Amino acid sequence: MKINKVLDILGINKLNEGAATGTKWLKAGGEKIDSYSPVDGKLIASVTASSGKTYDNVVKQAQAAFEEWRMWPAPKRGEVVRQIGEALRKNKEPLGRLVSYEMGKSLQEGLGEVQEMIDIADFAVGLSRQLYGLTMHSERPMHRMYEQWHPLGVVGIISAFNFPVAVWSWNSFVAWVCGDTCVWKSSEKTPLTAIACQNIIAEVFKANKVPEGVCGLVVGGREIGELMSADPRIPLVSATGSTRMGKAVGAAVGARLGRALLELGGNNAIIVSEHADLDIALRACLFGAVGTAGQRCTTTRRLIIHDKVYDAFKKKLVAAYKQLNIGDPLDEKNHVGPLIDKDAVNNYLHAISELKKQGAKVVVAGGVLDGKGYESGCYVKPCIYEVSNDMPIVQHETFAPLLYIMKYSKLEEAIRLQNDVPQGLSSAIMTLNMREAEQYLSHMGSDCGIANVNIGTSGAEIGGAFGGEKETGGGRESGSDSWKAYMRRQTNTINWGNTLPLAQGIKFTV
Ligand code: UN1
């Protein structure tokens, strides 16, 4: 399918308004953003970003819609999300292609991202009939105590370029069945995929007469994110991106005592034990390190390898890196596509020069590719360095295919190295030894939000709660009971007797 056809199907014009309330596009009023593809450097289309004033109107509409939307029974809201899942199934191919072309991930991964949206839609539909609260036994006679979950209001969603559509769906589909309305600030680096999503859901919203404002979109940069974070009309801001961005969002939301759900940087490690199945380990490490050109928050950045298998494993890795095809991600024979833009390439080069300065030893050299097929200037070579964990550059997340390797001899030491970074998103151990695996998963083991055995650090399923500890921000989204973040809990006590006993045995008579 040619890109022009993709744009046509998804309703992308040459110049698009970057602000919507659901089914209606507004005059966005901000600056023009040109979206260039990192695949070939060509201009795909342009978008007018949202001005502060338009942002304000979108939030007002979301507030108004909330009054009505919360009156819809949750399973009815789920039915709308079910139809969105269907619409995504129909549009999987063009949307997956656009994700791949605008962001630069492989077509397989672009389609995989849309699949995550479909999966979370199915999950949210089921959830719409399972927003359960607990009941408790009251300490007073003839009293009933229980808790229920109410919608919060307007949820602000700030998403990143690397998962330009899936992360929005994890948040919004769950928030909708919970009865919230959403305002989405998509990444200014991938505005077209956001516009495409808005067009897809608009059809479903129209057909179901969903109140205008349930899904607002504002394309914009940092200023819009700042407005959203400081906006007391938005009880919850869910933000995905760098730790630096998350600290700013967290501080602004915290200053007004709002809620923030933060899903920030990772510095994910795989421990390769002497008891590992080295073939499985190799594939897991390879996909984790070079998949999405190292631009997942779950990307494998560090390998902590047992000294007994260190040399053999390093050899396998180097051989595998030699086999990697770097090039157009829409071409199936390629494993590694481009970085998102030239700034990302500069960050990659900066990290390489820091590695040299800080004494790291090169195992597989990096570099920027040029020539035919690499005209965008965004293609870089995945590289490997032997490092020590305490080097400042190793402690830092660089969004690029840089893999750091180090040695260990005792499991405790490997776990200590793994945990000894500021971030705490994803982690894994490769071992067939049951004691090692269990120790790793115990409270003495990984300190991350995600800890896997014989699976890499990336590619988490939507059914689990996704997120991490420490500088990763502590938020959880997607599956399990993450929905609770999008609702407010209310504890209710009902006295159905004919006296008024007080709790804690207190007597109060007049
Ligand atoms: C992200 O990079 O922000 O686990 C999300 C994974 C994907 C999600 C990554 N399912 O790699």
Side-chain angles (χ1 to χ4, degrees), residues 116 162-163 167 170 240 263 295-298 399 457-461 466:
E116 279 199 31
N162 67 331
F163 273 80
V167 171
W170 298 352
T240 303
E263 205 271 279
Q295 299 172 105
R296 290 193 191 210
C297 52
T298 50
F399 237 45
T457 57
S458 66
E461 298 179 21
F466 184 87

Side-chain angles (χ1 to χ4, degrees), residues 30-81:
E31 282 171 14
K32 186 163 127 272
I33 301 177
D34 293 326
S35 180
Y36 291 94
S37 168
V39 174
D40 54 15
K42 288 191 185 136
L43 177 68
I44 316 173
S46 305
V47 179
T48 309
S50 174
S51 66
K53 198 162 152 261
T54 307
Y55 160 81
D56 193 52
N57 288 334
V58 173
V59 176
K60 280 201 183 109
Q61 191 65 44
Q63 275 187 304
F66 176 62
E67 302 290 317
E68 221 185 300
W69 185 236
R70 66 180 174 180
M71 301 306 290
W72 286 42
K76 255 193 92 187
R77 298 190 295 249
E79 168 57 19
V80 173
V81 173

Side-chain angles (χ1 to χ4, degrees), residues 426-430 437 440-441 446 450-460:
S426 188
S427 60
I429 189 167
M430 296 290 152
Y440 181 74
L441 298 177
S446 169
I450 297 170
N452 297 331
V453 176
N454 296 329
I455 292 180
T457 57
S458 66

